[in-house]
Amino acid sequence: MAYQEPERQQFHFSSRKGWLNDPNGLCFYQGTYHLFYQHNPAAVHWGPMHWGHATGTDLIHWQEQPIALYPDESGAMFSGCAVVDEQNLTGLGVDPASPPLLFFYTCAGKPFTQNLAYSLDGGRTVVKYARNPVVPNLHGGGERDPSVAFDPASGTWRMALYLGDERGDFALLESADLLNWRETALFRIPNGGRECPELFQIADKTDGKLRWAILEANGNYLVGDITDGRFQAEHAGIFMHRSGLKGGYAGQTFKNPPDGRRLYIAWQQDYIRGDAFSQSMTLPVELKLV
């Protein structure tokens, strides 16, 4: 009966078994889209977080893969992102034809830290970095949900990090090698911006200029530029409206897309809770800046 239950949506991804929430590590790598996600395989409610994994070629048909990240003695595996280390800046790669696929995730221990895992076989097997954490706890709170993007203007990598519900703000960090990070700025997202930042560049359709955008879990966003490690916001708004406490939440866009489109998937918060599974993802949508 798996995937055929009468209450299971047929066009929205859901895990064969257990609970699902935030999409993680959305990326395109050598012909395949990867959808990782927050996952409790043992129950139909939130619990010890793993990273589930599914792959596909058309963003609609997904093949569920073995679990990618398991909780360990340091804590549960909270949300994060994926990037392709094309230049092997980390030195983790062994084959130039298959650059490392890097996963930045929050280890929800005491304290929360930002950790690194990697794959050298296109996501089939994932190994935790031996020298974790790559970002220690910076401000003493529930810091989580790293989002990493390359900044071509400076030739460095940027990380947006939520600093926890106690503070409600975000940090911007910088790295030249994806391993050593330094904080460059703190900022807020209007209208109660909360967790799961998503940082990327997108071309403005009106003038073709690349702008930086940062989204948060509820759909609030900032658009602007990053100068000297600081986010200079020019516009703020909301692109997604939820119905009460349900609807799209904590979405991400696919890194390294083959056609340059900014494709977005979120957790579709809903009331569906079968005997075997609960929750699903939204359908993919394309984001544009006008």
Side-chain angles (χ1 to χ4, degrees), residues 40-53:
N40 179 9
V44 294
H45 50 75
W46 192 92
M49 285 292 100
H50 302 56
W51 271 33
H53 183 202

Side-chain angles (χ1 to χ4, degrees), residues 29-214:
Y29 184 89
Q30 296 186 342
T32 299
Y33 290 98
H34 291 266
L35 166 61
F36 298 87
Y37 54 93
Q38 291 285 278
H39 182 40
N40 179 9
V44 294
H45 50 75
W46 192 92
M49 285 292 100
H50 302 56
W51 271 33
H53 183 202
T55 56
T57 58
D58 62 3
L59 296 168
I60 295 293
H61 299 89
W62 297 100
Q63 178 67 45
E64 196 161 352
Q65 303 295 338
I67 290 172
L69 288 172
Y70 288 82
D72 57 29
E73 64 279 1
S74 299
M77 305 290 100
F78 276 20
S79 289
C81 68
V83 299
V84 181
D85 184 7
E86 297 279 7
Q87 297 179 317
N88 197 24
L89 296 173
T90 59
L92 296 170
V94 295
D95 179 2
S98 299
L101 187 54
L102 306 181
F103 305 97
F104 293 90
Y105 65 94
T106 297
C107 183
K110 296 182 179 181
F112 281 29
T113 58
Q114 312 316 311
N115 288 17
L116 173 67
Y118 62 96
S119 177
L120 302 178
D121 58 7
R124 288 187 291 275
T125 56
V126 178
V127 179
K128 294 174 183 176
Y129 183 52
R131 297 180 181 178
N132 278 325
V134 292
V135 180
N137 195 278
L138 300 173
H139 296 279
E143 301 166 6
R144 59 186 185 267
D145 313 333
S147 177
V148 174
F150 182 65
D151 182 353
S154 65
T156 59
W157 292 83
R158 307 287 183 190
M159 177 189 291
L161 186 65
Y162 181 59
L163 295 182
D165 297 339
E166 300 86 357
R167 295 176 58 104
D169 55 357
F170 299 81
L172 198 61
L173 294 88
E174 180 181 77
S175 175
D177 61 5
L178 291 160
L179 296 176
N180 299 283
W181 295 86
R182 70 178 186 94
E183 183 180 298
T184 61
L186 301 177
F187 64 96
R188 286 184 173 268
I189 299 178
N191 300 317
R194 182 178 185 270
E195 70 183 2
C196 297
E198 171 66 354
L199 179 70
F200 57 88
Q201 284 192 304
I202 187 169
D204 190 327
K205 294 294 183 181
T206 58
D207 59 13
K209 181 180 177 181
L210 277 177
R211 302 296 179 93
W212 282 98
I214 184 163

Side-chain angles (χ1 to χ4, degrees), residues 3 18-19 41 43 64 91 122 125 193 203 207 213 228 247 253:
Y3 295 120
W19 166 273
E64 196 161 352
T125 56
D207 59 13
D228 297 327
T253 64

